Amino acid sequence: MATAALEFLPAPLRSFRLKTKQQELLLRVSTLALIYVLAFIVRLFSVLRYESMIHEFDPYFNYRTTLFLTENGYSEFWNWFDFESWYPLGRVVGGTLFPGLMVTAALLYRFLRALSFAVHIREVCVLTAPFFAANTTLVAYAFGREIWDSGAGIVAAALIAICPGYISRSVAGSYDNEGVAIFALLLTFYLFVRAVNTGSLAWSLASAFGYFYMVSAWGGYVFIINLLPLYVLVLLVTGRYSMRLYVAYNCMYVLGMLLAMQIRFVGFQHVQSGEHMAAMGVFFLLQVFFFLDWVKYMLNDARLFKSFLRITLTCAITVGTLALVVGTASGYISPWTGRFYSLLDPTYAKDHIPIIASVSEHQPTAWSSFMFDFQILLFLFPAGLYFCFKRLSDATIFIVMYGLTSMYFAGVMVRLILVAAPAVCLISAIAASATIKNLTTLIRTKSKSPQASSGKTTGSKAAAKGAVDQSLPFQHNAAIALLLGAFYLLSRYAIHCTWVTSEAYSSPSIVLAARGHNGGRVIFDDYREAYYWLRQNTPPDAKIMSWWDYGYQITAMGNRTVIVDNNTWNNTHIATVGRAMSSYEDEAYEIMQSLDVNYVLVVFGGVTGYSSDDINKFLWMVRIGGGVFPVIKEPDYLVNGEYRVDKGAAPKMLNCLMYKLCYYRFGELTTEYGKPPGYDRVRGVEIGNKDIKLEYLEEAFTTSNWIVRIYKVKPPKNRS
Amino acid sequence: MAPAPARHLLLLLPLLLAAAPAGADDLVAELQSLRARSPSGVIHLTDTSVTRFLSAPASRRPYSVLLFFDAAALHSKPDLHLPQLRTEFALLAASFHDRNPGSGDLFFADIEFAESQHSFHQFGVNSLPHVRLIRPEHSTLAGSEQMDQSHFGRLADSMAEFVESRTGLEVGPIVRPPLLSRNQIILLGILFLISIPFAIKRVIEGETLLHDRRVWMAGALFVYFFSVSGGMYGIIRHTPMFLTDRSDPDKLVFFYQGSGMQLGAEGFAVGFLYTLVGLMIAGVTHLLVKVESLQTQRFAMMAVIAIGWWAVRKVIFLDNWKTGYSIHTFWPSSWRIWNHPH
């Protein structure tokens, strides 16, 4: 066959033949290259549909700090005290962030500049996440090859390249820690598994550096430092302790710890906080194990060793427990943080920490979100689990544990689907690859002699059925049917992913798009309009009060000082803002005076139907405010437990600052044909208080679609 | 339950009532002593005591009473949750008394339908569950305030909110009795400590359940099933397994349309389909080949193809229906002629 195709080629090329192995290599490399490119370009939908810009909220802070880093250099960045946020407290930026992302982007920028590409730092930031997502596919390939075979590696790379669960956090413009962190996470895991498989110091050293990069990039590193000890523990319990494991874990833990402590935000937490104690405990346990092994080897007497074992184990457990108890009691070991605790006891955050529960990405995951983010991978996952259990090795145990723990966490919080995505892709890839491989071998046995094929895939259908001649025709058909089914599923996956990426995950959420009544696209660019207005029309030292969601954007785009922002480190300060927003105007005025507020910014969707506006977030302001200041009570804003803004609303609701600022002059406006003026298109009601008078504030600016409204706080009246 | 011993004491009540009319302080003192005798702090009222404590003019009634309407005959009806609410009510009373010991401002009381039908009539109560707050300023019994259905929703916690917002008194955190008593915990702890050496021995010998691969796999599959079916969502949000249709109470709603929310049953149904298809894929390649009979193999193969096809289509259809997205292919724009319009 091959010779016939080559006949029209010129003679030198015709003599250029590849051996089967080389052909396979060529195929594999070119497939990987295509996957690499695919992973990058599928994430560019957001640039095509909107423009090259930074998305959402947190990325604006990252962008601002990156800008600072490239302009002022690393030591300035390290020592940066930011007085523009958290007024009047300020924020020690250098010590309270994970610098990995910014440093990465700055290095990429320098590198491109050195190659004399005249890029703007913003473009580098916008494309950082897709670039790292593409790199992740390579790691996924290597990882898949490590735990199964190179076929599974390629399938894993292809699956993760377009997996919506991962794309949601890594489209162009979503310049957030997770963008590089998933790459670092998978890399660390890969290197560690590789180290466990080979027992080589070099690989475990590499995984320690991978861990260092992960720690520098994202707070999610806590997942690694708890999963690895858990994995080691499971291996110990199931009797899979080996020297390879000992070398890999010790080197990785000691070096990784020392390196991680260099990140200022982590520092001594790594040896002091309760979240890291599991890793340290397992570290000591391994030493005990090794010691016992050594003693067993030296003693050479079973009875003696048994009594020795008993004594050592009792001592070790007692000492460990005592150390933990004393450490916790003396305050040397800090207890678990709320975020960590809420993962283990999922109902904890809902009852105790409203500031965590209020964030939409911290909500528990419904099945439809899983379906949306993984689609057919969910069908393949149990099959993959089964395959892994059938071929248990140190590596498959790891991937199973990674898959299950991350799946559990993904069920607790929507955003952690991201962490589960690589594991789900890998395990599903095992299922897909192994099944397809089995089926194709089956089909190929038809053309060759039945016995010849069964060599490679042990346990496959072909091997078992090779001897039975009559069954072949039927099997052949069934295999083709199954194969077609598999390809149908995979192509559905590709279609699903493309659609989801382009329609659901590429929106920057700072520029909003909606369908107009004639089917065309309408763009609302009100946020930037408002922020540029602030930048141009307010004094440079003006202080802006808004709900914390918009803090990063105001400082980054408006270049003005804010009271609170998305780094929710000070609950009291946020509660103060929540209290001001939910008080009557005169009470709020006193609070605003005490915080030197000059402008108040609210987000309002009643005109456009934009549903994540401040009125819908308002109950959280009340809850968070009421959590610190008991004068604010949630029932005051509700009528029979119902949240309303129309005539039947609670009187306190109708007259609080947030209501007044959102609905000021709204009573005069007709938003929808056939509806009375003052018809709120988000809540679907006519508002209850149309005659709003402001005494201490005045309207300064309202954007063209009313999405952002800015009010100026009047100076105090003259004393007379 | 708690009121049983109190009931005996209340037989004495008519004797006490003979001393009427009493002053405001006497009434408070009397209520306090009644409360002290009830283990949970919930006073059991009857027709006579209602007249005495609640129908008195406001000047002699400086206290509020939160009254729980109970009916022993309806305890067996599961959809009313009366016993559960009654327990929660007792918890609320106990928590309030922990916070405000010896308080004379608010009393918790219950009343039973079979023995006090007249009072039920006076309050105008004709459906249960029913909780009323009688404050000093309420002049008639029927004029007192009924606790809204929504305040039963989160049990004692939401009832506490109601009390706090209406009376201005602080209930404080609801003190729930721990699941295990102290002695039980100590006993379990001792058992655990004793079992440690045995466990270690077995682990070293390698013959525990932990060494059985199938146990691990079953556990793994369960974790997977639980996560993807949104089980955690149900736990955190306390969503029910299904709803009853508003327009037709006999009809049950298992599937909720809208991506932000799910019911328990729908999640588990979909999770089951995922697991089913996954295990079938695994089974075809690993188990089916070991089956001797060709006929069985063929039949199983066909069944797997058919069921797999059906399950996948079903899930995709459900997802599209639930989220309202219609996922479609993007064809090259030059092909528009054939693929347009939708």
Side-chain angles (χ1 to χ4, degrees):
Chain A
M1 257 178 73
T3 44
L6 288 171
E7 236 144 61
F8 57 88
L9 288 174
L13 272 181
R14 221 180 305 165
S15 62
F16 180 74
R17 290 264 173 77
L18 291 172
K19 293 188 194 113
T20 322
K21 276 233 157 149
Q22 289 170 319
Q23 279 180 346
E24 201 253 333
L25 185 73
L26 182 68
L27 257 178
R28 205 186 325 153
V29 170
S30 43
T31 317
L32 266 182
L34 283 176
I35 290 172
Y36 190 89
V37 174
L38 171 71
F40 189 84
I41 55 174
V42 80
R43 286 165 170 82
L44 297 184
F45 266 118
S46 56
V47 175
L48 292 178
R49 298 209 151 213
Y50 296 86
E51 59 179 85
S52 170
M53 64 158 107
I54 309 280
H55 291 189
E56 298 200 321
F57 305 104
D58 287 19
Y60 271 96
F61 170 76
N62 300 331
Y63 173 58
R64 180 167 160 246
T65 44
T66 314
L67 207 61
F68 188 91
L69 173 62
T70 48
E71 278 167 6
N72 299 302
Y74 193 72
S75 55
E76 279 293 308
F77 173 69
W78 194 246
N79 294 319
W80 185 14
F81 182 82
D82 177 21
F83 52 84
E84 285 201 338
S85 56
W86 291 93
Y87 183 85
L89 309 169
R91 174 181 175 191
V92 189
V93 173
T96 58
L97 53 55
F98 292 102
L101 177 72
M102 298 90 192
V103 173
T104 309
L107 284 179
L108 281 177
Y109 175 69
R110 292 264 170 83
F111 176 70
L112 289 173
R113 281 276 161 157
L115 293 179
S116 64
F117 285 110
V119 286
H120 189 274
I121 181 70
R122 192 186 62 232
E123 313 305 329
V124 177
C125 291
V126 164
L127 295 179
T128 299
F131 173 62
F132 272 87
N135 294 340
T136 308
T137 61
L138 295 186
V139 181
Y141 164 71
F143 204 171
R145 204 173 65 162
E146 189 65 31
I147 53 177
W148 204 259
D149 56 15
S150 58
I154 293 219
V155 178
L159 291 181
I160 202 166
I162 54 172
C163 176
Y166 184 25
I167 285 182
S168 66
R169 291 305 184 123
S170 60
V171 293
S174 110
Y175 177 56
D176 211 345
N177 292 337
E178 289 94 324
V180 298
I182 292 303
F183 165 75
L185 178 93
L186 204 60
L187 185 69
T188 313
F189 283 157
Y190 162 64
L191 293 171
F192 184 74
V193 167
R194 180 99 199 166
V196 172
N197 275 349
T198 57
S200 115
L201 263 181
W203 285 110
S204 50
L205 183 71
S207 86
F209 275 100
Y211 177 65
F212 172 60
Y213 187 55
M214 176 71 190
V215 176
S216 76
W218 195 35
Y221 76 88
V222 176
F223 178 62
I224 299 187
I225 205 60
N226 282 295
L227 182 64
L228 293 188
L230 191 68
Y231 168 62
V232 172
L233 204 63
V234 167
L235 287 192
L236 289 185
V237 169
T238 49
R240 286 174 165 269
Y241 169 77
S242 64
M243 202 58 203
R244 295 175 282 116
L245 182 69
Y246 182 81
V247 170
Y249 185 74
N250 283 337
C251 173
M252 146 77 201
Y253 178 67
V254 174
L255 270 174
M257 175 180 72
L258 290 176
L259 286 170
M261 285 168 76
Q262 309 310 310
I263 305 295
R264 257 171 85 196
F265 195 25
V266 177
F268 274 92
Q269 269 184 51
H270 207 285
V271 284
Q272 286 190 348
S273 90
E275 291 147 20
H276 303 80
M277 280 303 124
M280 191 183 271
V282 167
F283 172 70
F284 286 123
L285 191 70
L286 264 185
Q287 312 312 318
V288 172
F289 239 83
F290 182 70
F291 179 65
L292 286 176
D293 232 34
W294 179 73
V295 170
K296 194 177 181 181
Y297 169 73
M298 296 297 278
L299 272 181
N300 248 338
D301 177 353
R303 207 172 51 80
L304 215 61
F305 175 69
K306 240 178 197 171
S307 53
F308 176 77
L309 180 75
R310 213 165 294 148
I311 298 167
T312 339
L313 270 185
T314 327
C315 288
I317 292 174
T318 325
V319 170
T321 327
L322 258 176
L324 199 69
V325 169
V326 170
T328 317
S330 62
Y332 190 72
I333 299 174
S334 62
W336 288 344
T337 57
R339 264 166 228 256
F340 191 71
Y341 199 70
S342 66
L343 277 180
L344 298 180
D345 174 15
T347 49
Y348 179 80
K350 190 186 156 213
D351 298 336
H352 296 96
I353 329 169
I355 207 148
I356 292 183
S358 74
V359 181
S360 67
E361 59 185 25
H362 291 168
Q363 303 306 314
T365 318
W367 71 264
S368 51
S369 312
F370 273 113
M371 188 66 199
F372 197 63
D373 279 353
F374 290 134
Q375 228 233 353
I376 64 144
L377 300 188
L378 288 176
F379 295 109
L380 294 173
F381 190 82
L385 276 183
Y386 190 87
F387 280 75
C388 288
F389 273 101
K390 276 280 157 190
R391 204 171 105 180
L392 272 189
S393 65
D394 290 355
T396 49
I397 290 181
F398 180 82
I399 194 69
V400 167
M401 288 186 56
Y402 172 30
L404 289 179
T405 44
S406 59
M407 260 298 192
Y408 169 78
F409 291 139
V412 179
M413 271 191 204
V414 173
R415 72 187 297 202
L416 293 181
I417 281 190
L418 175 75
V419 175
V424 174
C425 288
L426 277 164
I427 293 181
S428 308
I430 289 174
S433 158
T435 310
I436 291 178
K437 200 167 175 183
N438 282 350
L439 292 174
T440 40
T441 358
L442 202 62
I443 292 170
R444 291 175 75 182
T445 45
K446 179 70 176 24
S447 49
K448 295 178 198 160
S449 69
Q451 291 90 347
S453 69
S454 56
K456 255 193 179 175
T457 51
T458 43
S460 84
K461 255 190 137 84
K465 302 287 290 169
V468 193
D469 258 336
Q470 305 98 305
S471 72
L472 275 176
F474 181 80
Q475 256 200 344
H476 183 77
N477 290 341
I480 287 184
L482 275 180
L483 205 57
L484 283 179
F487 281 121
Y488 174 73
L489 274 184
L490 291 173
S491 58
R492 288 309 304 184
Y493 177 69
I495 292 169
H496 177 90
C497 293
T498 325
W499 189 89
V500 167
T501 313
S502 100
E503 298 286 322
Y505 284 149
S506 289
S507 155
S509 92
I510 190 144
V511 175
L512 310 163
R515 293 249 173 252
H517 50 87
N518 53 0
R521 231 157 62 109
V522 191
I523 295 278
F524 301 127
D525 203 356
D526 287 40
Y527 278 109
R528 292 197 289 182
E529 187 185 346
Y531 298 143
Y532 289 132
W533 183 87
L534 281 176
R535 186 186 271 262
Q536 303 293 341
N537 297 287
T538 59
D541 62 345
K543 280 96 193 161
I544 321 285
M545 182 172 91
S546 73
W547 191 234
W548 60 264
D549 294 17
Y550 316 107
Y552 278 165
Q553 294 178 345
I554 296 174
T555 37
M557 279 187 276
N559 200 17
R560 292 295 176 266
T561 307
V562 291
I563 309 294
V564 290
D565 66 25
N566 310 45
N567 178 260
T568 51
W569 63 275
N570 188 328
N571 191 27
T572 316
H573 216 50
I574 293 183
T576 312
V577 172
R579 182 185 175 187
M581 292 297 191
S582 38
S583 304
Y584 293 126
E585 199 186 344
D586 48 343
E587 294 158 5
Y589 186 65
E590 276 173 33
I591 300 172
M592 292 190 291
Q593 285 294 313
S594 70
L595 289 171
D596 296 344
V597 173
N598 305 108
Y599 290 88
V600 183
L601 180 147
V602 295
V603 172
F604 172 60
V607 179
T608 48
Y610 169 56
S611 64
S612 47
D613 66 349
D614 277 346
I615 291 285
N616 277 359
K617 291 175 186 169
F618 182 60
L619 272 190
W620 287 108
M621 305 184 199
V622 173
R623 271 173 214 155
I624 292 169
V628 177
F629 305 102
V631 263
I632 306 291
K633 296 191 194 69
E634 194 181 335
D636 291 350
Y637 299 87
L638 302 174
V639 183
N640 289 332
E642 205 183 338
Y643 181 60
R644 301 170 66 161
V645 296
D646 59 353
K647 277 206 178 63
K652 181 116 199 209
M653 177 75 210
L654 290 178
N655 288 297
C656 68
L657 184 69
M658 178 52 78
Y659 191 94
K660 280 181 147 184
L661 297 188
C662 282
Y663 291 119
Y664 181 64
R665 289 198 302 114
F666 185 64
E668 308 156 11
L669 189 77
T670 307
T671 52
E672 225 172 288
Y673 178 74
K675 294 282 196 280
Y679 178 78
D680 184 328
R681 293 179 64 187
V682 174
R683 265 65 56 178
V685 288
E686 186 184 349
I687 59 167
N689 183 358
K690 288 189 189 174
D691 183 33
I692 294 172
K693 300 256 184 317
L694 290 172
E695 199 180 332
Y696 300 96
L697 294 106
E698 60 190 356
E699 185 178 2
F701 181 65
T702 295
T703 54
S704 41
N705 298 300
W706 287 54
I707 289 180
V708 184
R709 310 196 68 184
I710 300 170
Y711 292 84
K712 188 174 193 301
V713 180
K714 290 185 192 165
K717 287 199 181 92
N718 286 336
R719 287 170 200 274
S720 58
Chain B
M1 240 338 295
R7 238 168 239 168
H8 296 288
L9 299 167
L10 283 165
L11 295 175
L12 298 170
L13 236 146
L15 298 176
L16 288 171
L17 293 176
D25 293 345
D26 299 338
L27 284 180
V28 172
E30 229 172 90
L31 281 169
Q32 278 168 337
S33 73
L34 281 176
R35 182 173 68 193
R37 275 181 252 159
S38 148
S40 65
V42 178
I43 304 165
H44 186 72
L45 293 182
T46 55
D47 282 344
T48 35
S49 44
V50 164
T51 326
R52 179 168 169 76
F53 294 118
L54 295 178
S55 309
S59 57
R60 297 201 288 106
R61 193 158 51 82
Y63 45 81
S64 306
V65 174
L66 191 69
L67 188 54
F68 183 87
F69 293 82
D70 201 358
L74 295 177
H75 278 201
S76 55
K77 290 232 170 165
D79 49 333
L80 292 182
H81 305 292
L82 275 181
Q84 190 200 3
L85 287 172
R86 177 64 184 76
T87 324
E88 291 289 320
F89 189 74
L91 269 181
L92 175 69
S95 307
F96 179 78
H97 294 142
D98 279 355
R99 182 83 177 194
N100 316 292
S103 157
D105 296 325
L106 176 65
F107 293 95
F108 294 83
D110 70 346
I111 186 165
E112 212 281 327
F113 179 67
E115 37 176 70
S116 323
Q117 297 197 7
H118 179 64
S119 301
F120 270 66
H121 188 71
Q122 273 187 308
F123 280 106
V125 175
N126 43 24
S127 71
L128 292 182
H130 196 112
V131 175
R132 275 189 113 78
L133 179 70
I134 303 107
R135 277 184 293 176
E137 59 264 32
H138 294 139
S139 49
T140 60
L141 291 182
S144 56
E145 190 176 0
Q146 178 188 353
M147 190 190 284
D148 198 73
Q149 278 289 339
S150 64
H151 286 105
F152 298 137
R154 284 185 298 115
L155 307 171
D157 302 83
S158 46
M159 291 193 214
E161 275 168 22
F162 172 81
V163 170
E164 283 181 346
S165 66
R166 295 309 191 281
T167 61
L169 298 168
E170 222 171 303
V171 177
I174 302 293
V175 190
R176 287 178 193 279
L179 209 59
L180 298 166
S181 72
R182 204 169 131 260
N183 288 341
Q184 279 169 317
I185 290 176
I186 292 172
L187 187 72
L188 283 178
I190 290 171
L191 281 180
F192 178 70
L193 285 179
I194 292 174
S195 65
I196 283 180
F198 294 100
I200 289 176
K201 183 161 166 270
R202 295 200 66 173
V203 165
I204 290 168
E205 284 166 5
E207 49 180 53
T208 49
L209 273 181
L210 293 178
H211 292 85
D212 191 342
R213 200 175 280 194
R214 278 165 300 179
V215 174
W216 286 90
M217 195 166 81
L221 283 175
F222 176 75
V223 171
Y224 160 80
F225 168 75
F226 185 74
S227 287
V228 293
S229 53
M232 202 46 83
Y233 186 94
I235 290 179
I236 295 177
R237 291 286 170 80
H238 303 292
T239 48
M241 275 292 156
F242 50 80
L243 297 172
T244 43
D245 200 333
R246 271 196 195 159
S247 49
D248 178 10
D250 294 332
K251 219 173 108 194
L252 297 178
V253 179
F254 288 101
F255 284 85
Y256 183 91
Q257 192 166 14
S259 55
M261 152 82 180
Q262 74 161 61
L263 300 174
E266 68 173 289
F268 289 123
V270 174
F272 170 73
L273 289 182
Y274 295 150
T275 320
L276 178 76
V277 174
L279 287 183
M280 280 193 320
I281 297 176
V284 164
T285 37
H286 275 289
L287 293 180
L288 201 57
V289 284
K290 294 185 184 146
V291 177
E292 290 285 312
S293 144
L294 255 183
Q295 208 59 39
T296 327
Q297 276 193 347
R298 285 178 184 164
F299 180 74
M301 197 86 148
M302 299 308 286
V304 163
I305 293 179
I307 297 174
W309 174 261
W310 171 81
V312 173
R313 287 214 63 104
K314 192 79 196 160
V315 171
I316 290 179
F317 163 76
L318 277 174
D319 186 55
N320 285 348
W321 170 80
K322 188 175 177 67
T323 54
Y325 289 118
S326 63
I327 289 162
H328 56 80
T329 328
F330 293 109
W331 300 104
S333 43
S334 54
W335 296 4
R336 269 288 158 75
I337 315 145
W338 302 302
N339 281 299
H340 213 250
H342 284 292

